[in-house]
Amino acid sequence: MRIYNGAYELMPGIKFYSPNRLYEYSFTENKIVIHAIIEQGNIPEKVHGRILSYTISSPFPDALRIQIRHLQPRQMIKFDTLNCLSPLELKDTPESLMITSGQLGIKFEKEKWAYSFFTDSVLSESSYESAGIVFDHNNKEYITEKLSLGVGELVYGLGERFSPFVRNGQSVVIRNSDPATESDLGYKNIPFYMTNRGYGIFINTPAFADFEICTEDVHAVRMSVPLNELDYFIFYGPRPKSIINHYTHVTGRPPLIPKWSLGLWLTTSFTTEYSEKVITEQIDEMFRRKIPLSVFHFDCYWMKERHWCNFLWDTDSFPDPKGMISRLKKKGLKICLWINPYISELSEIFDEAAEQGFFIRNAQGGVYQQDWWQPGLAMIDFTNPGACEWYKDKLRTLLDVGVDTFKTDFGESAPVDGIYYSGVDGSQIHNYYTYLYNKTVFELLTRYFGENNTIVFARSATTGSQKFPVHWGGDSQARYTSMYGQLRGGLSFGISGCALWSHDIGGFYEKPRADIYKRWIAFGLLSSHSRLHGNDSFRVPWNFDEESCDVLRHFSELKSRLIPYLYGLCYEASVTGLPLMRPMLMEFPDDPGVDYLDRQYMLGPSLLVAPVFTTGGEVTFYLPKGTWTNFLTGRKVQGGQWISETHDFFSLPLYVRENSIIPTGPAGQDAFSTGCKNTLLTLYNIKTSAQCYLYDDKEILVTVQKKDDGIRIDVSDTISGLMIKIHGSVESIHCEKRTLFIRSENMSIEE
């Protein structure tokens, strides 16, 4: 929300009260409480006034938590965050208080209320009359803060957003909605941003936080919450990867997902007509054409229309669901079912849930219902533990017949005027609802299948949702512009602390042209998760043209060869929070040429991907400094320049960074069952050092160091059939020991 209308006057109806000076403080080893006084005009000193209280703490070095409060906290919920305290250092001078944790500090001015965050220099400032208490025209209270931005400082994040990647000049309200993908609204709003100056800011509330980014003040971020407390963290990196590591240390990281989820997903699409016969014919045709397939997904109409959700198979279309699932699983497939957290009044389980009080209620105490999406729809109240267990019980019956996972659709529409079991106001539950919903489903799947064997396919998200992967980008259009918007959304989601992400190949709405479908295949198979899904048409490749079948086979096999690399990145995400699809600035923060780039990305630390958004295959992309190798052709290119290329449908810019190790394995279905056995490690332009993770029931770290007369390779554990190759050489080398040395002049080995 804007507080000021320009530099000199408040917005109409706004009252703003900002502290004048520090009044008093108290200090313990782990916490400092400061009371700042808001004096009232000419009222005599020591009489009246408001107090704004600041509580400063630190969860670990290089991170500070600032809780700004007016009066005692009201009933509110916060995200599920790390609960620990790290020692603080305090320096008290006549002019200021300086509080530090690791390299990060905050300095409060005593006489004219202002403060700044610093390391060896100032990161950001809250100047005089920046923070304070706001009352709007309805007398609703907010706490607001304004943090300065420096020259050239850019803001990124705030969840999956399809608007321009750099947030400067945007007004963002953290409020989940069901908007499709063509506006500045979003399914996955996350109150966390970082800047290219080495720090990140996270507001610890699911309430509707509001960010004015270079709008009210073109040199600052104004952030406000409709509560009487603003609770935020600042994380010092200074590298973007370190900021993500800190943020996810506080809010959680994804578990290691099952390897099979990285393969190709095929779905029924949404409104198509299908039966066991139809889907079996499609699956068999995929296999006949030698297109690897891992998962088959049944969308909404596995249940009877207008009865969603009753969790009962529509026996008119699927008379033998258990037998059908068994037959599909014998083909090597995993099975996914669509669900949502809403229950139609026609559902066979509606009365049961209503009688037990498992729905959100209206102000009169009855069931909160809407004629939207389904007739007389009601929503499960996931703040009620009993409702969560009831919901799990309904899903468990589906697991018992062979279902492996669920597409947890929707979750963005919890009513702000609903009455919840927890007693918390609906405006705080609205964004948090998706967290509770997906947590409920994820807990069931983990309990049923065990650790590292759980995944959902979710649309909505908030802070902490990264613990329940994977998420997809929602209802996109079958256009190049929407494909580009999906990439922006995925990069924004990744830099907001969410590691695993997907999108509908070809777009959701409309049937794409064959060229769009084929270009999107390349992008989709070089994303963390890959799914063929649409609205009213099957997305099988022969529905477009014969070449589409060849393109899909080509990129599916490419991805399956990269599974050792990708699964190592999944393991890395589970311990660091780093996304698989990374904005260029995450890997090259010292290169100002990457600050605005949102048409290309790094897949992990080593592979640069530039999707093609044109029919003719023209694409322009930027290579940072260094030697880059085209993964598909082997051609080497020097970076530090923009490159223009033209690609057919079987290629796109896919370049390997220097000092990289790319582990690859067999193509096809075998990629998901061989572990790390027979992995080939290809070393690309090793000039200093490199490392990569592999995972096969345990972490395996591979490190490489360039020496004067060769390359030293260390593998933290033995791998059966491990091969090593220096890119450009003809031969590869069996690596039977955990350490070996390759002499560069003749590829000889010393173990």
Short mmCIF file of all heavy atoms in Angstrom, two decimals, residues 99-131:
data_model
loop_
_atom_site.label_atom_id
_atom_site.label_comp_id
_atom_site.label_asym_id
_atom_site.label_seq_id
_atom_site.Cartn_x
_atom_site.Cartn_y
_atom_site.Cartn_z
N ILE A 99 24.03 -3.58 16.79
CA ILE A 99 23.78 -4.98 17.12
C ILE A 99 24.27 -5.82 15.96
O ILE A 99 23.92 -5.55 14.80
CB ILE A 99 22.27 -5.22 17.34
CG1 ILE A 99 21.72 -4.28 18.42
CG2 ILE A 99 21.99 -6.68 17.69
CD1 ILE A 99 20.23 -4.10 18.37
N THR A 100 25.08 -6.84 16.24
CA THR A 100 25.64 -7.64 15.15
C THR A 100 25.45 -9.13 15.40
O THR A 100 25.41 -9.59 16.55
CB THR A 100 27.14 -7.36 14.95
OG1 THR A 100 27.83 -7.56 16.18
CG2 THR A 100 27.37 -5.93 14.48
N SER A 101 25.32 -9.86 14.29
CA SER A 101 25.30 -11.32 14.28
C SER A 101 26.14 -11.77 13.10
O SER A 101 25.76 -11.56 11.95
CB SER A 101 23.86 -11.84 14.13
OG SER A 101 23.85 -13.24 13.93
N GLY A 102 27.29 -12.35 13.38
CA GLY A 102 28.20 -12.67 12.30
C GLY A 102 28.67 -11.41 11.61
O GLY A 102 29.09 -10.44 12.26
N GLN A 103 28.56 -11.37 10.28
CA GLN A 103 28.99 -10.19 9.53
C GLN A 103 27.89 -9.13 9.42
O GLN A 103 28.16 -8.02 8.98
CB GLN A 103 29.38 -10.60 8.10
CG GLN A 103 30.49 -11.63 8.01
CD GLN A 103 30.72 -12.07 6.58
OE1 GLN A 103 31.36 -11.37 5.78
NE2 GLN A 103 30.18 -13.23 6.23
N LEU A 104 26.66 -9.49 9.80
CA LEU A 104 25.52 -8.61 9.60
C LEU A 104 25.19 -7.84 10.86
O LEU A 104 25.17 -8.40 11.97
CB LEU A 104 24.30 -9.44 9.17
CG LEU A 104 22.98 -8.69 8.97
CD1 LEU A 104 23.09 -7.70 7.81
CD2 LEU A 104 21.85 -9.68 8.71
N GLY A 105 24.91 -6.56 10.70
CA GLY A 105 24.55 -5.75 11.85
C GLY A 105 23.43 -4.78 11.54
O GLY A 105 23.07 -4.56 10.38
N ILE A 106 22.86 -4.21 12.61
CA ILE A 106 21.87 -3.15 12.48
C ILE A 106 22.27 -2.03 13.44
O ILE A 106 22.64 -2.29 14.59
CB ILE A 106 20.44 -3.66 12.76
CG1 ILE A 106 19.42 -2.54 12.56
CG2 ILE A 106 20.32 -4.28 14.14
CD1 ILE A 106 17.97 -3.03 12.59
N LYS A 107 22.23 -0.81 12.95
CA LYS A 107 22.62 0.36 13.74
C LYS A 107 21.42 1.28 13.91
O LYS A 107 20.84 1.74 12.92
CB LYS A 107 23.76 1.11 13.04
CG LYS A 107 24.20 2.37 13.76
CD LYS A 107 25.31 3.07 12.98
CE LYS A 107 25.76 4.35 13.67
NZ LYS A 107 26.80 5.04 12.88
N PHE A 108 21.01 1.51 15.17
CA PHE A 108 19.90 2.40 15.49
C PHE A 108 20.42 3.76 15.93
O PHE A 108 21.27 3.85 16.83
CB PHE A 108 19.06 1.82 16.63
CG PHE A 108 18.27 0.60 16.26
CD1 PHE A 108 18.79 -0.67 16.46
CD2 PHE A 108 17.00 0.71 15.72
CE1 PHE A 108 18.06 -1.80 16.13
CE2 PHE A 108 16.25 -0.40 15.39
CZ PHE A 108 16.79 -1.67 15.59
N GLU A 109 19.93 4.81 15.30
CA GLU A 109 20.22 6.16 15.76
C GLU A 109 19.30 6.49 16.94
O GLU A 109 18.11 6.17 16.90
CB GLU A 109 20.01 7.17 14.63
CG GLU A 109 20.80 6.89 13.37
CD GLU A 109 22.29 6.94 13.58
OE1 GLU A 109 22.74 7.65 14.53
OE2 GLU A 109 23.03 6.28 12.83
N LYS A 110 19.81 7.13 17.96
CA LYS A 110 19.02 7.34 19.18
C LYS A 110 18.13 8.57 19.13
O LYS A 110 16.99 8.54 19.59
CB LYS A 110 19.96 7.44 20.39
CG LYS A 110 20.62 6.12 20.77
CD LYS A 110 21.45 6.28 22.05
CE LYS A 110 22.01 4.94 22.51
NZ LYS A 110 22.83 5.07 23.74
N GLU A 111 18.62 9.66 18.59
CA GLU A 111 17.89 10.91 18.72
C GLU A 111 16.90 11.15 17.59
O GLU A 111 15.79 11.60 17.82
CB GLU A 111 18.87 12.08 18.82
CG GLU A 111 19.56 12.17 20.17
CD GLU A 111 18.57 12.22 21.33
OE1 GLU A 111 17.56 12.97 21.24
OE2 GLU A 111 18.77 11.49 22.32
N LYS A 112 17.29 10.89 16.40
CA LYS A 112 16.37 11.03 15.27
C LYS A 112 16.17 9.63 14.69
O LYS A 112 17.05 9.10 14.04
CB LYS A 112 16.92 11.99 14.22
CG LYS A 112 15.89 12.36 13.16
CD LYS A 112 16.42 13.46 12.25
CE LYS A 112 15.34 13.88 11.24
NZ LYS A 112 15.83 14.94 10.33
N TRP A 113 15.00 9.03 14.96
CA TRP A 113 14.82 7.60 14.76
C TRP A 113 15.07 7.16 13.32
O TRP A 113 14.37 7.56 12.38
CB TRP A 113 13.41 7.18 15.19
CG TRP A 113 13.20 5.70 15.12
CD1 TRP A 113 12.44 5.02 14.21
CD2 TRP A 113 13.78 4.72 15.96
NE1 TRP A 113 12.50 3.67 14.44
CE2 TRP A 113 13.32 3.46 15.52
CE3 TRP A 113 14.64 4.78 17.06
CZ2 TRP A 113 13.69 2.27 16.13
CZ3 TRP A 113 15.01 3.59 17.67
CH2 TRP A 113 14.53 2.36 17.21
N ALA A 114 16.09 6.35 13.15
CA ALA A 114 16.44 5.75 11.87
C ALA A 114 17.37 4.60 12.16
O ALA A 114 17.96 4.52 13.25
CB ALA A 114 17.11 6.76 10.94
N TYR A 115 17.51 3.70 11.20
CA TYR A 115 18.43 2.59 11.40
C TYR A 115 18.90 2.08 10.04
O TYR A 115 18.27 2.34 9.00
CB TYR A 115 17.82 1.46 12.23
CG TYR A 115 16.39 1.09 11.89
CD1 TYR A 115 16.08 0.07 11.00
CD2 TYR A 115 15.33 1.78 12.49
CE1 TYR A 115 14.77 -0.26 10.71
CE2 TYR A 115 14.01 1.46 12.21
CZ TYR A 115 13.74 0.44 11.31
OH TYR A 115 12.44 0.12 11.02
N SER A 116 20.00 1.36 10.07
CA SER A 116 20.58 0.84 8.83
C SER A 116 21.12 -0.56 9.08
O SER A 116 21.57 -0.89 10.18
CB SER A 116 21.70 1.76 8.33
OG SER A 116 22.70 1.91 9.32
N PHE A 117 21.06 -1.37 8.03
CA PHE A 117 21.67 -2.70 8.05
C PHE A 117 23.03 -2.59 7.37
O PHE A 117 23.15 -1.95 6.32
CB PHE A 117 20.78 -3.71 7.32
CG PHE A 117 19.44 -3.91 7.98
CD1 PHE A 117 18.31 -3.30 7.47
CD2 PHE A 117 19.32 -4.70 9.11
CE1 PHE A 117 17.07 -3.48 8.07
CE2 PHE A 117 18.09 -4.88 9.73
CZ PHE A 117 16.96 -4.27 9.21
N PHE A 118 24.02 -3.26 7.93
CA PHE A 118 25.37 -3.08 7.41
C PHE A 118 26.17 -4.37 7.54
O PHE A 118 25.87 -5.26 8.34
CB PHE A 118 26.10 -1.96 8.16
CG PHE A 118 26.35 -2.26 9.62
CD1 PHE A 118 27.52 -2.88 10.04
CD2 PHE A 118 25.40 -1.92 10.58
CE1 PHE A 118 27.74 -3.16 11.38
CE2 PHE A 118 25.61 -2.20 11.92
CZ PHE A 118 26.79 -2.82 12.32
N THR A 119 27.20 -4.47 6.72
CA THR A 119 28.28 -5.44 6.89
C THR A 119 29.55 -4.60 6.96
O THR A 119 29.72 -3.87 7.93
CB THR A 119 28.31 -6.46 5.73
OG1 THR A 119 28.33 -5.76 4.48
CG2 THR A 119 27.06 -7.34 5.76
N ASP A 120 30.40 -4.67 5.96
CA ASP A 120 31.53 -3.73 5.91
C ASP A 120 31.10 -2.40 5.29
O ASP A 120 31.85 -1.44 5.27
CB ASP A 120 32.71 -4.33 5.15
CG ASP A 120 32.32 -4.85 3.77
OD1 ASP A 120 31.11 -4.85 3.45
OD2 ASP A 120 33.21 -5.27 3.03
N SER A 121 29.88 -2.37 4.76
CA SER A 121 29.27 -1.13 4.26
C SER A 121 27.77 -1.22 4.47
O SER A 121 27.24 -2.28 4.84
CB SER A 121 29.60 -0.93 2.77
OG SER A 121 29.09 -2.01 2.01
N VAL A 122 27.06 -0.15 4.22
CA VAL A 122 25.61 -0.14 4.44
C VAL A 122 24.91 -0.92 3.34
O VAL A 122 25.15 -0.71 2.15
CB VAL A 122 25.08 1.31 4.49
CG1 VAL A 122 23.56 1.33 4.54
CG2 VAL A 122 25.65 2.04 5.71
N LEU A 123 24.02 -1.84 3.73
CA LEU A 123 23.21 -2.60 2.78
C LEU A 123 21.92 -1.88 2.45
O LEU A 123 21.51 -1.79 1.30
CB LEU A 123 22.88 -3.99 3.36
CG LEU A 123 24.03 -4.95 3.60
CD1 LEU A 123 23.51 -6.21 4.30
CD2 LEU A 123 24.71 -5.33 2.30
N SER A 124 21.22 -1.40 3.50
CA SER A 124 19.93 -0.74 3.31
C SER A 124 19.63 0.08 4.55
O SER A 124 20.12 -0.22 5.65
CB SER A 124 18.83 -1.78 3.08
OG SER A 124 17.60 -1.15 2.79
N GLU A 125 18.81 1.12 4.37
CA GLU A 125 18.48 2.02 5.48
C GLU A 125 16.97 2.19 5.61
O GLU A 125 16.25 2.20 4.62
CB GLU A 125 19.11 3.40 5.24
CG GLU A 125 20.62 3.40 5.20
CD GLU A 125 21.17 4.77 4.89
OE1 GLU A 125 20.96 5.24 3.75
OE2 GLU A 125 21.79 5.38 5.78
N SER A 126 16.53 2.32 6.85
CA SER A 126 15.18 2.78 7.15
C SER A 126 15.34 4.17 7.76
O SER A 126 15.70 4.30 8.95
CB SER A 126 14.48 1.82 8.12
OG SER A 126 13.19 2.30 8.45
N SER A 127 15.13 5.18 6.97
CA SER A 127 15.43 6.54 7.41
C SER A 127 14.30 7.10 8.27
O SER A 127 13.28 6.44 8.52
CB SER A 127 15.66 7.43 6.18
OG SER A 127 14.52 7.41 5.35
N TYR A 128 14.48 8.30 8.74
CA TYR A 128 13.48 8.96 9.58
C TYR A 128 12.13 9.02 8.85
O TYR A 128 12.06 9.32 7.67
CB TYR A 128 13.96 10.38 9.91
CG TYR A 128 13.12 11.11 10.93
CD1 TYR A 128 13.02 10.64 12.23
CD2 TYR A 128 12.43 12.27 10.58
CE1 TYR A 128 12.25 11.32 13.17
CE2 TYR A 128 11.66 12.96 11.51
CZ TYR A 128 11.58 12.47 12.80
OH TYR A 128 10.81 13.14 13.73
N GLU A 129 11.08 8.65 9.55
CA GLU A 129 9.71 8.62 9.03
C GLU A 129 9.52 7.58 7.91
O GLU A 129 8.72 7.77 7.00
CB GLU A 129 9.27 10.00 8.55
CG GLU A 129 9.17 11.01 9.69
CD GLU A 129 8.57 12.34 9.25
OE1 GLU A 129 8.61 12.63 8.04
OE2 GLU A 129 8.07 13.07 10.12
N SER A 130 10.25 6.47 8.02
CA SER A 130 10.08 5.37 7.07
C SER A 130 9.20 4.27 7.64
O SER A 130 8.35 3.71 6.95
CB SER A 130 11.43 4.78 6.66
OG SER A 130 12.13 5.66 5.81
N ALA A 131 9.44 3.90 8.91
CA ALA A 131 8.68 2.84 9.56
C ALA A 131 7.66 3.45 10.50
O ALA A 131 7.84 4.55 11.02
CB ALA A 131 9.61 1.91 10.33
#
